[in-house]
Amino acid sequence: MLIPSHNLFIGQKGKIIQLNFEDESTKNRLVAMGITPGKFIELVHVSPFGDPLVFKIGEKKVVLRKSEASKIFADVPYKIFNLLECEIGRYEIFDIKGGRNLVEEMKSMGLYEGVNINIIHKLGNKIIIEVEGNKQELGRGRATKIFCKKVE
């Protein structure tokens, strides 16, 4: 699956497939930094306001603007969605981004990293999921903080 590198999740790796820069000087600068097709790229840090982004390419760390990262396309084995973006189907929870209270509340509902869930219904801003045989209802706010990858 080919995605722009700014859509990588922290810790997710992908193989650089193409650089879509119209400006040759920017493309040459990034190539000189070691950003070339065939190398692996990993998102390691996102600044508090979402820009710039820090990537690991080989053993080097590179800071890129989000606009530059959006033009670097990487092949990843899976894409990570927040729960609100997911369609009906089976998913594995990859991460929960929230405060300690949210994480603890989700754990008490059986939602934590590595758990498989089944999205069985979406009603506007509410999502009904099944976790280990129990149905849970989540609102939009909580759903946007739970990140999942599709399970085939």
Side-chain angles (χ1 to χ4, degrees):
M1 177 179 298
L2 201 61
I3 64 171
S5 58
H6 76 283
N7 284 343
L8 290 171
F9 199 81
I10 292 176
Q12 188 178 19
K13 293 179 185 174
K15 186 176 183 180
I16 298 172
I17 299 297
Q18 67 187 84
L19 307 173
N20 284 349
F21 289 96
E22 295 170 6
D23 178 20
E24 281 297 315
S25 64
T26 304
K27 184 177 180 179
N28 290 339
R29 181 175 57 87
L30 296 178
V31 169
M33 294 166 61
I35 301 171
T36 57
K39 289 202 172 179
F40 284 91
I41 186 168
E42 176 185 355
L43 180 63
V44 292
H45 180 73
V46 178
S47 296
F49 295 108
D51 200 11
L53 309 169
V54 180
F55 293 95
K56 185 175 179 183
I57 299 171
E59 294 301 317
K60 294 191 301 187
K61 287 187 180 173
V62 177
V63 179
L64 297 174
R65 293 183 199 113
K66 197 172 189 176
S67 61
E68 293 171 329
S70 69
K71 295 174 181 170
I72 300 168
F73 287 85
D75 186 27
V76 294
Y78 54 86
K79 186 175 178 186
I80 297 173
F81 306 92
N82 70 41
L83 203 52
L84 197 61
E85 298 171 330
C86 295
E87 301 295 324
I88 293 173
R90 293 184 51 80
Y91 293 87
E92 178 184 334
I93 295 177
F94 187 78
D95 197 6
I96 298 174
K97 298 283 187 194
R100 187 173 53 180
N101 289 340
L102 176 71
V103 172
E104 291 299 320
E105 184 181 351
M106 293 298 110
K107 274 185 184 174
S108 70
M109 296 169 65
L111 301 172
Y112 48 87
E113 279 183 45
V115 168
N116 287 334
I117 61 172
N118 191 16
I119 299 176
I120 53 176
H121 200 61
K122 292 177 86 172
L123 292 167
N125 290 333
K126 293 190 178 189
I127 298 173
I128 299 172
I129 61 173
E130 185 177 347
V131 183
E132 298 173 354
N134 298 322
K135 289 184 181 175
Q136 308 281 345
E137 185 177 308
L138 297 170
R140 177 186 183 92
R142 291 180 179 161
T144 58
K145 295 175 181 170
I146 300 171
F147 294 89
C148 306
K149 65 181 179 182
K150 181 93 174 149
V151 175
E152 301 302 322

